[in-house]
Amino acid sequence: MSDQIAAVTKSVEDAIATAKQNLEGLAKAQQEQIEKASAKVLKSYDELTVLTKENVDALVKSGTVVAKGAEEAGKQVAAFTQSSLEKSVSNAKALLAVKTIQELVELQKAYTKASLDAFVSESTKLQELTVKVANEALAPLNARVNATVEVLSKKVA
């Protein structure tokens, strides 16, 4: 009988030792999975941080381009306005010196044509500047959108 008790005790001890080993193995495997997952999360966080910083840098660069473009456009408009004002004053002086109605009509007609031509020319220049600034301002943003999509699509895949 004592052999049977010893055998049962040995079986129970073996079962407990096996269960203990299985639990330790399971705990170790879970710990390894948690460490791997944590490393992936930290790596992804670091990559996302870098990506976000680069996106903010591109936004700042784009804003700088827009600000410089607006400054240049403002200077261009101010110069045109001043030139137009000077031409108006000059034309007014010339109108005061006319001797005939025909001369007045011709002078006013020439002034109106020159003013309209200058306005169209200046509008074209301003439009070209606006398109140029818009393209330059969008370039860094487009590059960042492409880079972000590429990085995020790799993460999903």
Side-chain angles (χ1 to χ4, degrees):
M1 187 83 145
S2 71
D3 287 337
Q4 288 178 338
I5 293 175
V8 168
T9 304
K10 172 101 170 100
S11 292
V12 169
E13 287 174 353
D14 288 345
I16 290 173
T18 302
K20 185 178 177 183
Q21 285 178 343
N22 288 343
L23 285 174
E24 287 173 353
L26 182 60
K28 185 178 179 181
Q30 286 178 339
Q31 181 65 30
E32 289 173 0
Q33 290 298 324
I34 289 171
E35 287 174 1
K36 286 180 185 177
S38 295
K40 283 183 179 179
V41 166
L42 289 175
K43 182 180 178 190
S44 294
Y45 177 76
D46 290 343
E47 290 173 353
L48 188 59
T49 300
V50 168
L51 186 67
T52 301
K53 182 191 177 303
E54 290 171 348
N55 289 347
V56 169
D57 290 345
L59 190 60
V60 168
K61 185 176 181 179
S62 179
T64 302
V65 169
V66 169
K68 287 181 181 178
E71 181 182 354
E72 188 176 333
K75 288 178 182 178
Q76 189 173 334
V77 168
F80 174 72
T81 302
Q82 183 174 355
S83 172
S84 293
L85 185 58
E86 289 170 356
K87 289 176 185 174
S88 292
V89 169
S90 175
N91 187 60
K93 288 179 182 178
L95 288 175
L96 292 174
V98 297
K99 297 196 181 347
T100 66
I101 297 277
Q102 181 64 28
E103 194 179 344
L104 175 77
V105 169
E106 290 298 321
L107 188 60
Q108 189 59 34
K109 180 177 153 185
Y111 171 74
T112 302
K113 182 181 181 326
S115 293
L116 185 59
D117 289 346
F119 178 75
V120 169
S121 174
E122 194 64 27
S123 295
T124 301
K125 288 179 192 175
L126 197 55
Q127 181 183 10
E128 289 170 355
L129 176 64
T130 303
V131 169
K132 177 184 168 222
V133 168
N135 287 335
E136 288 177 2
L138 288 175
L141 298 178
N142 285 336
R144 291 311 313 150
V145 166
N146 292 338
T148 301
V149 168
E150 184 178 324
V151 167
L152 294 179
S153 65
K154 286 181 182 177
K155 295 290 178 202
V156 172

